[in-house]
């Protein structure tokens, strides 16, 4: 069970004021259970305390430890070193977001696009539908699936070429509001995604859904938004609603 | 610890970063490449058609050249591009309208199966009929 | 803000976040430094329980009272941040049932509302519970996002002018004579060192409080006490499930998003940076959790991790369970070091109260009379921390 082996970690480094980023290589002894996050914490503790990375919950619930591990967007906290092929692990920050230092990207632009989508955080819980809620609780609720990790934005080829693109996470959040408004202004949210840099910008590479660690399926959400908007824009539907479908009720 | 290996500057556009891509991502990259190729072909095609205004002899000379193996290889690549882009385009149109979103991967492989048959038949036709 | 006293908060966890919020509301200039990303230490790693306090009524009634009071306040100041599905204390054995009366009396004394549910009723609410259970008690537990609640404190503090500096590590305490006058920090983003001058420095570094105190030549009775938590795939319950007995290992299951989190074990370490996740503890969590929800055993493990509680206690403490879960604030002027205050102990659910007590002490030192307003001020959404 405790079969240990030594793995080379090639870690992307960058510090503000330096001209170019570089890689540092560290040897780390791992067991079958060691995660990439634990290995990076070890490097920070033993080799280089200046190594910058983001982490918080350690169980794929906070979304801070998203990074590219051998080129693939993953959460470091649930990626075991043993499950990665090869003797060398290259760790790089997420793409398509500005780098603050080492493995840390600036989430400002991400949240600036996410925030106008009404920031859904609590939703109706669909688990155990047969369960009766206790007295004093109207309906079982739970935290939303999206953990705002940014993996989808990093892997998205459109986000790579259009900095104004709202991106998979924000669009998926918008679709959640359409599905379960919880008092939000749905027509307003739809109007915000019905733009050239909104849901119509997607090129359906579906990488977002492939890398999402949290069952959000942003690709399907973007297509669902398109479907909703197309139905709204049908001429006979517009007439029925009396004017612009986006007009807040 | 080993320091100082500079991160190489990227030599290709970010959308073409193929590391860690899934089937649908490869499909996107190939779609964009074939799309660019087809635009290039269209320009060349229109330029070649200009020969028609310059007399029969010049046109016939070009047709003779077009039947040589190097040109047939280019035509084969063109067939691939047309067939791939058209069939993948059908998938993207459907998915983009919200049809078959959850089956997009299966749809891709079915269409690629059809595409392979079309490609083999058309390439076979190309090379046999131009002999 | 010019001319206001400047307070330097060390530590970007729940305590530091709530402190920055309280201090700015009282008109102080605040800089918060955190050596890693905010909430990267202990804060982000807890099970996400919004305590009703019921967990402590049998052993630690002071802590229980703090919890229930804060529970009601947090619901008010952080709307839409919690899964408010309540919690259950489940009696599995006849021995567990003997705790029922003291538990109910304890809850009543601490002001925690309870409702006793029959076995059948309990199973209608939570069908995955062990069907051999005897009875259960409903309490106002809840689930929070361990990172996003503190982010709301930080976002609100930042909005009111607090300067939050992550990746900024304190390398030394800056003295003027015998008075703490700030800290020397290293910015890992720019590799530069500089000094932050401050009228008061607050050590809010949780289990690391001993290390910061040492830099200032003082001692704090901190016992870093790690616990192992295990997350399994699948939301097996909607309410928080506790075992009805004195708090022990593996006796709580907190549903969170699509996961169920089982906690915890408890031991004591010297260095909270070097936390092991012993395989035996992971197995124990699954085994004990499966007593409450048998299907837990069949679910794939999503993650297993450890977090160090910042407990207050003597150096002789060894398991951590015997230590109180309440908090304690130290004004080091009592030991002859002016300008440094340390806050340790407590838990995410009581971070606001910890900040209130600490800010009261700081304000008294500076002669500020502004009252605490954090019980009423509604917090900004967590996204505002990053979006600005």
């Amino acid at each position: 069970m405790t079969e240990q082996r030594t793995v080379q970690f090639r870690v992307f480094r960058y510090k503000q004021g330096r001209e170019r980023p570089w890689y540092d290589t560290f040897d780390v002894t791992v067991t079958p259970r060691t995660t990439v996050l634990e290995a990076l914490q070890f490097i920070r503790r033993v080799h280089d305390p200046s190594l910058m990375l983001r982490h918080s919950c350690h169980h794929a619930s906070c979304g801070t430890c998203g990074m590219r591990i051998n080129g693939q967007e993953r959460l470091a906290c649930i990626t075991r070193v043993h499950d990665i092929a090869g003797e060398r692990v290259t760790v790089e920050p997420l793409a398509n977001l500005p780098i603050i230092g080492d493995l840390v990207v600036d989430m400002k632009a991400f949240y600036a696009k996410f925030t106008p989508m009404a920031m859904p955080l609590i939703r109706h819980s669909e688990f155990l539908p047969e369960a009766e809620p206790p007295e004093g609780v109207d309906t079982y609720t739970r935290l939303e699936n999206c953990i705002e990790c940014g993996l989808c934005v990093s892997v998205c080829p459109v986000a790579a070429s259009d900095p104004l693109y709202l991106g998979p996470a924000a669009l998926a959040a918008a679709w959640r509001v359409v599905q379960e408004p919880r008092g939000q202004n749905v027509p307003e949210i739809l109007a915000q995604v019905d733009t050239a840099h909104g849901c119509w910008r997607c090129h359906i590479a579906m990488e977002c859904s492939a890398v999402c660690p949290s069952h959000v399926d942003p690709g399907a959400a973007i297509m669902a938004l398109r479907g909703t908007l197309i139905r709204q824009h049908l001429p006979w539907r517009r007439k029925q609603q009396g004017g612009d479908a986006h007009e807040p009720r | 610890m080993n320091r100082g290996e500079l991160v190489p500057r990227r030599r290709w556009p970010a959308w073409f970063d193929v590391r860690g891509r899934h089937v649908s991502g490869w499909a996107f990259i190939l779609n964009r490449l074939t799309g660019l190729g087809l635009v290039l072909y269209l320009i060349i095609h229109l330029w070649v058609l200009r020969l028609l205004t310059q007399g029969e002899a010049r046109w016939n000379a070009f047709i003779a050249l077009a039947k040589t193996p190097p040109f047939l290889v280019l035509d084969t690549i063109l067939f691939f591009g047309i067939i791939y882009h058209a069939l993948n385009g059908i998938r993207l149109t459907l998915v983009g309208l919200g049809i078959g979103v959850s089956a997009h991967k299966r749809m891709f492989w079915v269409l690629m199966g059809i595409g392979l048959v079309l490609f083999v038949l058309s390439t076979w036709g190309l090379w046999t009929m131009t002999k | 803000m010019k001319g206001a006293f400047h307070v330097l908060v060390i530590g970007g966890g729940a305590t530091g976040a709530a402190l920055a919020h309280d201090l700015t509301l009282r008109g102080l200039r605040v800089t918060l430094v955190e050596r890693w990303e905010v909430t990267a230490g202990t804060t982000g790693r807890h099970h996400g329980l919004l305590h009703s306090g019921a967990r402590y009524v049998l052993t630690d009634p002071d802590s229980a009272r703090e919890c229930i009071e804060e529970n009601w306040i947090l619901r008010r100041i952080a709307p839409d941040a919690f899964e408010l599905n309540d919690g259950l204390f489940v009696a599995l054995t006849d021995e567990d049932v003997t705790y029922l009366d003291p538990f109910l009396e304890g809850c009543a004394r601490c002001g925690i509302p309870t409702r006793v549910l029959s076995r059948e009723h309990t199973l209608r609410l939570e069908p995955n519970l062990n069907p051999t259970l005897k009875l259960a008690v409903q309490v106002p537990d809840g689930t929070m996002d361990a990172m996003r609640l503190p982010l709301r404190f930080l976002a609100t503090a930042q909005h009111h002018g607090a300067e939050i500096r992550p990746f900024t590590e304190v390398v030394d305490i800056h003295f003027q004579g015998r008075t703490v006058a700030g800290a020397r920090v290293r910015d890992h983003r720019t590799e530069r060192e500089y000094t932050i001058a401050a009228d008061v420095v607050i050590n809010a570094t949780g289990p690391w409080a001993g290390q910061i105190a040492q830099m200032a030549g003082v001692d704090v009775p901190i016992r870093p006490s790690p616990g192992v938590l295990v997350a399994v795939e699948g939301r097996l319950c909607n309410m928080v499930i506790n075992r009805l007995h004195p708090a022990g290992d593996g006796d709580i299951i907190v549903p969170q998003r699509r996961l169920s989190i089982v906690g915890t074990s408890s031991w004591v370490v010297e260095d909270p940076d070097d936390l092991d996740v012993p395989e035996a503890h992971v197995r124990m969590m699954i085994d004990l959790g499966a007593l409450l929800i048998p299907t837990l055993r069949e679910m794939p493990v999503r993650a297993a991790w450890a977090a160090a509680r910042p407990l207050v206690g003597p150096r002789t403490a060894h398991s951590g369970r015997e230590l109180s879960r309440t908090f304690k604030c130290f004004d080091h002027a009592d030991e002859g070091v002016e300008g440094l205050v340390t806050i340790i102990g407590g838990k995410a659910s009581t971070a606001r109260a910890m900040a209130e007590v600490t800010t009261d002490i700081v304000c008294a030192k500076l002669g500020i009379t502004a009252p605490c307003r954090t019980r009423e001020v509604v917090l900004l959404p967590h996204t505002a921390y990053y979006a600005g």
Side-chain angles (χ1 to χ4, degrees):
Chain A
M1 192 61 210
T2 50
E3 51 163 302
Q4 299 193 335
R5 68 186 175 112
T6 301
V7 177
Q8 253 191 12
F9 271 76
R10 192 160 152 264
V11 183
F12 181 101
R13 304 302 301 272
Y14 173 71
K15 298 290 181 190
Q16 289 169 24
R18 299 262 197 135
E19 200 187 327
R20 292 271 302 271
W22 72 98
Y23 293 108
D24 282 340
T25 308
F26 307 90
D27 285 339
V28 184
T29 304
V30 297
T31 72
R33 274 212 354 250
T34 309
T35 63
V36 172
L37 175 56
E38 285 165 343
L40 290 170
Q41 286 180 290
F42 171 83
I43 291 169
R44 183 178 59 187
R45 182 165 58 82
V46 174
H47 294 297
D48 187 352
S50 78
L51 175 63
M52 289 167 63
L53 63 147
R54 298 176 72 221
H55 59 96
S56 182
C57 79
H58 292 225
H59 63 279
S61 202
C62 72
T64 53
C65 67
M67 55 186 74
R68 285 180 300 159
I69 302 169
N70 283 355
Q72 176 72 75
E73 280 75 4
R74 291 174 186 275
L75 294 180
C77 70
I78 52 167
T79 304
R80 290 178 187 219
V81 180
H82 264 239
D83 296 339
I84 300 166
E87 290 306 300
R88 195 154 86 152
V89 179
T90 300
V91 214
E92 295 162 298
L94 293 181
N96 305 336
L97 290 161
I99 294 170
I100 289 178
D102 297 340
L103 300 170
V104 177
V105 292
D106 190 349
M107 296 299 280
K108 190 181 167 81
F110 176 90
Y111 279 105
K113 290 168 182 171
F114 195 84
T115 307
M117 300 305 143
M119 308 156 294
L121 187 61
I122 295 292
R123 63 180 285 172
H124 173 75
S125 170
E126 74 282 34
F127 286 86
L128 301 163
E130 72 278 22
E132 163 192 319
E135 211 175 306
V137 175
D138 293 337
T139 170
Y140 279 131
T141 53
R142 68 176 184 89
L143 290 160
E144 271 291 351
N145 281 345
C146 178
I147 53 173
E148 303 151 23
C149 62
L151 297 194
C152 55
V153 172
S154 173
V155 79
C156 175
V158 178
S161 42
D162 176 13
L164 294 178
Y165 178 42
L166 280 177
L171 291 169
W175 176 239
R176 279 298 306 148
V177 175
V178 175
Q179 281 184 301
E180 193 183 331
R182 302 186 81 81
Q184 298 296 332
N185 188 339
V186 174
E188 198 174 280
I189 301 285
L190 280 174
Q192 291 190 74
V193 302
D194 187 11
T195 66
H197 299 289
C199 69
W200 305 108
R201 191 74 182 83
C202 168
H203 277 302
I204 320 181
M206 291 289 182
E207 289 287 358
C208 50
S209 296
V211 299
C212 177
S214 209
H215 297 87
V216 174
D217 200 353
I222 296 167
M223 296 310 118
L225 283 172
R226 286 184 179 181
T228 305
L229 287 167
I230 289 169
R231 280 191 296 280
Q232 276 195 4
H233 290 313
L234 294 173
W236 58 91
R237 289 286 288 259
R238 288 173 76 100
K239 210 176 282 170
Q240 218 172 40
Q241 289 173 1
D244 194 336
H246 294 327
E247 214 83 83
R249 268 164 282 182
Chain B
M1 189 181 89
N2 174 29
R3 272 189 175 277
E5 177 202 350
L6 283 180
V7 174
R9 291 207 166 87
R10 209 179 49 213
R11 288 174 223 285
W12 51 81
W15 61 264
F16 191 63
D17 188 348
V18 295
R19 296 177 313 154
R21 288 290 148 100
H22 301 83
V23 176
S24 49
W26 283 98
F28 161 79
I29 291 171
L30 203 50
N31 205 64
R32 187 164 272 194
L33 290 178
T34 52
L36 290 170
L38 289 172
V39 169
L40 186 69
Y41 167 74
L42 192 66
I43 292 166
I44 296 170
H45 183 65
L46 291 171
W47 182 76
V48 167
L49 284 183
R50 192 185 54 117
L51 293 176
L52 283 172
T53 65
Q54 296 173 359
E56 204 177 327
R58 292 203 67 173
W59 178 254
N60 285 342
F62 170 74
I63 292 299
L65 182 70
K67 286 183 177 178
T68 59
F71 266 80
L72 292 184
V73 169
L74 289 176
D75 280 336
T76 308
I77 295 169
L78 177 66
F79 279 11
F80 169 80
I82 291 171
I83 292 168
Y84 176 80
H85 201 81
L87 292 176
N88 192 47
I90 292 171
R91 179 183 73 104
L92 294 179
T93 308
L94 289 173
V95 173
L97 290 169
I99 300 163
V101 177
S102 58
H104 73 93
K105 260 181 269 176
R106 229 175 314 142
M107 222 191 298
F108 177 78
W109 289 120
V110 168
L111 286 165
M112 286 308 108
I114 297 169
L116 185 67
V117 173
L118 288 176
F119 178 66
V120 168
L121 285 177
S122 56
T123 307
W124 177 74
L126 175 74
W127 286 82
T128 51
M129 280 185 247
T130 49
K131 279 235 171 89
Chain C
M1 281 300 204
K2 275 240 171 79
F5 288 111
H6 183 211
V7 179
L8 175 65
V9 179
I10 308 174
T15 317
L19 267 167
H21 173 54
D22 201 334
L23 291 161
T24 49
L25 283 182
R26 299 205 214 188
L28 289 152
R29 220 149 50 79
V30 178
T31 304
L32 182 149
V33 292
E34 159 62 48
R35 65 169 168 163
W36 299 336
E37 170 64 305
V38 292
T39 76
T42 294
T43 292
R45 300 186 210 177
H46 73 81
H47 36 37
L49 173 64
L50 172 67
H51 276 275
S52 65
R55 236 178 120 62
Y56 301 114
V57 290
L58 292 174
T59 51
D60 194 354
D62 286 343
S63 193
R65 259 186 288 269
E66 278 161 22
C67 285
I68 188 65
E69 191 181 341
E70 291 307 307
N71 182 309
W72 301 132
I73 293 171
L74 287 172
R75 287 169 192 240
R76 205 165 57 230
I77 65 171
D80 298 324
F82 304 108
E83 297 180 359
L84 294 174
N85 299 324
D86 282 3
L88 291 175
F89 277 75
V90 180
L92 291 178
T93 63
D94 290 327
E95 198 221 329
D96 289 353
V97 176
T98 62
Y99 289 112
L100 179 64
D101 288 335
F103 179 77
L104 293 175
E105 280 162 30
C107 285
R109 264 201 305 277
C110 298
I112 301 165
T114 52
R115 187 178 289 125
V116 180
L117 307 175
S118 69
R119 175 182 167 273
E120 292 68 30
H121 191 172
T122 307
L123 289 171
R124 282 208 303 281
L125 306 185
E126 288 295 357
N128 282 336
L129 281 178
N130 188 340
T132 65
L133 68 93
K134 305 289 180 192
L135 55 86
V137 185
Q138 183 188 339
V139 297
D141 279 345
T143 299
M144 69 168 89
D145 184 303
M147 181 200 190
R148 286 168 179 81
L149 181 66
L151 284 189
R152 294 184 70 153
F153 281 111
L154 287 171
T156 315
Q158 193 171 253
H159 179 73
H160 289 123
E163 176 96 31
I164 316 288
R165 296 184 192 168
F167 306 108
T168 303
E169 181 163 6
V170 170
V171 291
D172 206 0
I173 297 295
H174 172 55
F175 276 93
Q176 263 170 6
R178 283 287 285 158
T179 301
V180 170
R184 183 100 188 135
V185 298
R186 184 169 173 82
D187 186 340
H188 292 310
R189 293 167 293 195
T190 58
E191 305 169 285
R192 264 197 278 277
E193 271 190 31
Y194 60 96
T195 301
I196 301 175
D199 298 294
V200 176
V201 174
I202 304 178
N203 173 12
T205 52
W208 290 270
Q211 298 174 7
I212 295 291
Q214 208 171 21
M215 288 182 193
V218 291
D219 193 35
V220 288
I222 181 79
R223 300 306 290 148
S225 164
V228 164
L229 297 105
V230 177
V232 298
E233 302 276 358
R235 193 181 168 92
L236 304 174
C237 48
N238 278 308
M239 305 172 79
V240 176
I241 307 299
N242 303 265
R243 179 99 184 250
L244 179 61
H245 69 182
D249 289 343
D251 62 352
I252 179 164
I253 301 171
V254 184
Q256 202 202 69
R257 292 200 160 82
R258 306 173 67 93
L259 307 172
S260 302
I261 295 162
V262 200
T264 56
S265 59
S266 184
W267 72 100
V268 167
V269 295
E270 280 301 321
D271 181 6
D273 273 350
D274 186 13
L275 296 183
D276 191 24
V277 183
E279 184 72 40
H281 287 228
V282 176
R283 272 200 304 276
M284 178 172 76
M285 288 307 112
I286 303 281
D287 289 343
L288 291 172
L291 293 177
L292 289 161
I293 297 183
T295 51
L296 190 121
R297 200 183 287 285
E298 288 134 46
M299 310 310 286
V301 172
R302 175 83 152 168
W305 70 102
R309 305 173 185 88
L311 300 190
V312 190
R315 294 235 178 264
T316 49
H318 58 272
S319 91
R321 286 276 181 230
E322 72 273 34
L323 299 175
S324 169
R325 297 308 316 277
T326 187
F327 57 86
K328 209 160 161 41
C329 190
F330 301 87
D331 181 350
H332 296 291
D334 302 343
E335 299 144 78
V337 176
E338 188 51 79
L340 179 68
V341 172
T342 295
I343 170 79
I344 50 171
K347 49 177 42 59
S349 291
T350 61
R352 192 216 59 86
M354 295 163 73
E356 179 177 343
V357 169
T358 311
T359 308
D360 283 346
I361 289 174
V362 170
C363 285
K365 290 169 82 69
L366 298 171
I368 293 169
T369 52
C372 176
R373 286 166 55 211
T374 58
R375 288 161 190 261
E376 292 85 33
V377 173
V378 174
L379 302 172
L380 289 177
H382 73 276
T383 54
Y385 172 65
Y386 290 107

